[in-house]
Amino acid sequence: MNAQTYLAYDYPLLNMFWTMLLVFLWIMWFVLLFRVIGDIFRDDRLSGWAKAGWLVFCLLLPFLGVFVYVVARGKNMGRRETEHARARQEEFNAYIRKTAGDGQRSSVDELARLSEIRDQGAITDEEFRRAKELVLSGHSPAEHAGQAPTASSSSAR
């Protein structure tokens, strides 16, 4: 028998499960180490020296450093992660609102739209003038669409 075949016979199924468990735990420990290091840098309440101290402690004595950090400061790790995610979401929402303009049209957009409608012949020059006055006064012509203008309202302006 060659060496590879002999290894297959000599390595029982239970040993394979133990090996898989140890590899899984080893990977999970690295995930925890990276989460702790990320939390060290994310925490705004820690001074620069405290961050450096925790980082050196976690890198020089990794098992003890991570264990002590999780015991001492682990209670608020989830809170800091949630606050960070919430802040990122609020920044994203603010960017979307700014980019989309909240769906409101500016007065320039309204005037351009009114000019196009007048050029198409859908409204007269007098209707365009009244709608332009509404836009420039801060009202939308759509707000007053169902209202017929009266002589008193046009003379009051």
Side-chain angles (χ1 to χ4, degrees), residues 78-149:
R79 181 186 50 79
R80 284 187 291 272
E81 179 71 27
T82 304
E83 287 173 359
H84 183 68
R86 189 172 292 132
R88 283 189 311 219
Q89 184 66 39
E90 288 173 5
E91 288 174 6
F92 179 73
N93 290 343
Y95 171 76
I96 294 296
R97 278 191 299 275
K98 184 184 109 186
T99 304
D102 290 335
Q104 297 176 352
R105 291 184 161 195
S106 68
S107 58
V108 174
D109 294 334
E110 288 286 333
L111 289 174
R113 191 177 120 256
L114 284 171
S115 177
E116 288 175 12
I117 293 172
R118 181 187 62 182
D119 292 342
Q120 293 171 356
I123 60 174
T124 65
D125 287 336
E126 178 62 26
E127 291 170 329
F128 173 76
R129 186 187 59 75
R130 278 185 265 153
K132 184 172 89 171
E133 287 176 5
L134 284 174
V135 168
L136 293 177
S137 69
H139 298 90
S140 172
E143 295 172 4
H144 301 282
Q147 300 173 356

Side-chain angles (χ1 to χ4, degrees), residues 59-76:
L59 292 179
L60 291 181
L61 300 170
F63 291 108
L64 183 62
V66 168
F67 178 71
V68 170
Y69 187 86
V70 169
V71 169
R73 300 183 47 84
K75 186 176 185 179
N76 293 324

Side-chain angles (χ1 to χ4, degrees), residues 11 13-31 63:
Y11 203 68
L13 186 61
L14 186 60
N15 282 349
M16 186 179 70
F17 287 133
W18 278 112
T19 302
M20 288 175 58
L21 178 66
L22 290 176
V23 168
F24 175 74
L25 290 176
W26 184 65
I27 291 171
M28 289 305 299
W29 183 82
F30 273 111
V31 168
F63 291 108

Side-chain angles (χ1 to χ4, degrees), residues 35-44 46 51-52 55 69:
R35 297 256 341 228
V36 164
I37 290 173
D39 189 63
I40 289 171
F41 285 111
R42 182 177 298 118
D43 192 3
D44 293 334
L46 282 177
K51 288 180 183 184
L55 188 61
Y69 187 86

